[in-house]
Amino acid sequence: MSNFAKSMQILMRLEFSNPSLTLHKNETENGLTFFGIYECAHPDFRGWELVKQALKGKSLKEASFILYNNSDLVALVYEFYKKEFWDKMRLDEVESDLKASEIFIFGVNVDTKPAIRVLQRLLNVTVDGVVGAQTLKALNAYDEDKFNADFDSYEIAYYANLVSQKPKFKVYANGWKNRALAV
């Protein structure tokens, strides 16, 4: 079965390789973002208290460095991504690390239900945004190399549609495409 730690390492490399940007404010979001966790979308993340403490008397950049190296806080980040994305998409039941990583990385960016709907369209199964037996069977049977190329195309099309609907997201378009192609 697939390996969460491997997929999380890919996410860390793609999203969080610059410690000075681990804690920041996005132009298109309200509140802080820490390790990709939006405060406004996930106010119950257990790490927010530590983040707020680190910010006392420090700039975002200074606090970001401190928090990036806090192993207890990073463990909370891993726990968050496992529970909120990996487990909700049933990625432990995917037989391929590559397929699980593709879906995980995309799901972290767009959320679980939209990611699963995109996957289900590719697999030509019922599109309901929920991973069930039919989705898992079709996914596990899909040729891995073909899936890698096909899912990238579906991701890129999803992002292009999103940008056309919400032009303010154009600033993210190249990064989203690069992320899709990187896994």
Side-chain angles (χ1 to χ4, degrees):
M1 290 297 141
S2 53
N3 185 318
F4 170 72
K6 283 183 182 179
S7 294
M8 193 63 193
Q9 286 302 311
I10 294 168
L11 180 67
M12 294 291 283
R13 186 189 78 232
L14 291 173
E15 296 289 330
F16 315 121
S17 60
N18 185 344
S20 69
L21 298 176
T22 304
L23 178 64
H24 62 276
K25 289 187 177 190
N26 280 338
E27 297 173 18
T28 58
E29 297 288 334
N30 294 322
L32 295 170
T33 300
F34 178 67
F35 268 104
I37 303 168
Y38 295 128
E39 184 178 20
C40 61
H42 303 284
D44 297 329
F45 168 59
R46 293 183 20 209
W48 288 126
E49 186 176 320
L50 293 170
V51 170
K52 300 293 181 170
Q53 288 173 2
L55 275 170
K56 290 181 181 172
K58 294 181 179 59
S59 70
L60 280 174
K61 192 174 192 174
E62 290 169 322
S64 187
F65 275 108
I66 292 166
L67 295 166
Y68 186 88
N69 293 303
N70 180 325
S71 60
D72 292 335
L73 188 53
V74 172
L76 290 176
V77 169
Y78 270 63
E79 179 185 296
F80 170 84
Y81 279 110
K82 174 99 169 54
K83 178 184 172 210
E84 294 298 322
F85 297 93
W86 187 268
D87 292 347
K88 286 182 179 179
M89 296 188 288
R90 296 178 61 180
L91 295 175
D92 278 336
E93 299 175 61
V94 177
E95 295 170 359
S96 159
D97 284 337
L98 178 110
K99 292 176 190 176
S101 292
E102 284 271 10
I103 298 162
F104 175 66
I105 302 302
F106 185 55
V108 163
N109 198 41
V110 303
D111 208 359
T112 57
K113 287 193 180 289
I116 296 307
R117 285 188 200 108
V118 168
L119 171 66
Q120 291 169 327
R121 284 186 194 98
L122 168 65
L123 299 174
N124 199 28
V125 297
T126 302
V127 177
D128 61 6
V130 177
V131 176
Q134 179 189 42
T135 300
L136 283 168
K137 182 179 178 184
L139 175 59
N140 285 326
Y142 209 103
D143 177 78
E144 187 175 73
D145 291 333
K146 184 167 173 30
F147 180 84
N148 189 27
D150 293 348
F151 195 72
D152 288 350
S153 296
Y154 275 66
E155 285 179 273
I156 292 166
Y158 177 90
Y159 290 132
N161 185 53
L162 185 60
V163 169
S164 73
Q165 290 178 2
K166 297 182 180 179
K168 71 179 182 177
F169 291 143
K170 187 175 181 175
V171 299
Y172 303 120
N174 287 336
W176 289 341
K177 181 179 179 182
N178 290 339
R179 178 185 300 139
L181 296 172
V183 181

